[in-house]
Amino acid sequence: MCASHCLLAQDPENQELVRFYMHTMKTIGQRLVLKLAPSIKRNICKTCSSLLVPGVTSTVRHRQRRRHMVVTCLFCRNQKRFLSNDDYKLWCERPEADVQQSDRRGPEQSQSREKGQETLAAQESTRALSSCGGSNLMCASSSQSM
């Protein structure tokens, strides 16, 4: 997306190349099943894949009565409407969206994870004993019997 901004800043006539870059970015994201950030989605036209730069490739109007902002693409005349409420936050910006990794798992999965950690700790202690040859155990047991 940075390359597209740079191209438009150098020469606003490079809009075909910018559209190609944006279309390529969208198709790669779809193939890899990646979600674009909302800030990136707001700057790309859905129909013609052009970069929406106010004053260059789009116009922005603020509607006071309906409390929203209208962004119009200058190529395809497609319109996007965004709520202009000061208190509104996107879902990804809300605190509820940050879910801890342990909260995503069910109780059965978290219990099996704890059991797996206990088994791993037991295996590591067995390895530590076998690496020293068990001589420390024999010495400790023989000193106790004396």
Side-chain angles (χ1 to χ4, degrees):
M1 187 148 152
C2 182
S4 301
H5 276 288
C6 292
L7 276 174
L8 280 177
Q10 289 176 359
D11 186 17
E13 300 298 321
N14 287 334
Q15 293 169 4
E16 291 295 323
L17 186 58
V18 170
R19 276 193 237 159
F20 172 74
Y21 283 160
M22 292 292 107
H23 181 71
T24 304
M25 182 179 71
K26 282 172 57 175
T27 54
I28 288 172
Q30 288 172 352
R31 284 183 190 163
L32 297 176
V33 192
L34 297 174
K35 291 187 177 184
L36 293 175
S39 60
I40 294 174
K41 281 185 182 179
R42 287 179 173 215
N43 291 325
I44 300 174
C45 180
K46 281 187 175 183
T47 56
C48 67
S49 298
S50 66
L51 184 65
L52 299 175
V53 178
V56 179
T57 59
S58 67
T59 58
V60 179
R61 294 179 306 176
H62 292 277
R63 298 289 177 143
Q64 295 298 329
R65 287 185 216 156
R66 297 182 185 145
R67 302 189 74 172
H68 65 270
M69 176 177 64
V70 179
V71 179
T72 305
C73 178
L74 294 178
F75 296 108
C76 63
R77 301 290 181 202
N78 186 30
Q79 294 182 347
K80 285 186 167 191
R81 287 178 178 82
F82 301 108
L83 185 65
S84 60
N85 188 0
D86 294 336
D87 299 332
Y88 180 75
K89 289 185 180 179
L90 294 173
W91 170 253
C92 62
E93 296 173 353
R94 293 182 188 174
E96 302 97 41
D98 295 332
V99 179
Q100 296 293 332
Q101 186 70 11
S102 60
D103 293 343
R104 289 183 189 169
R105 295 187 173 124
E108 304 88 23
Q109 291 176 344
S110 60
Q111 289 174 355
S112 64
R113 181 178 173 203
E114 291 171 1
K115 289 179 185 177
Q117 288 175 349
E118 292 172 2
T119 307
L120 184 62
Q123 289 174 353
E124 287 176 2
S125 63
T126 310
R127 283 187 203 137
L129 289 175
S130 63
S131 66
C132 69
S135 60
N136 293 342
L137 261 183
M138 292 180 154
C139 294
S141 62
S142 62
S143 64
Q144 288 177 354
S145 62
M146 291 179 169

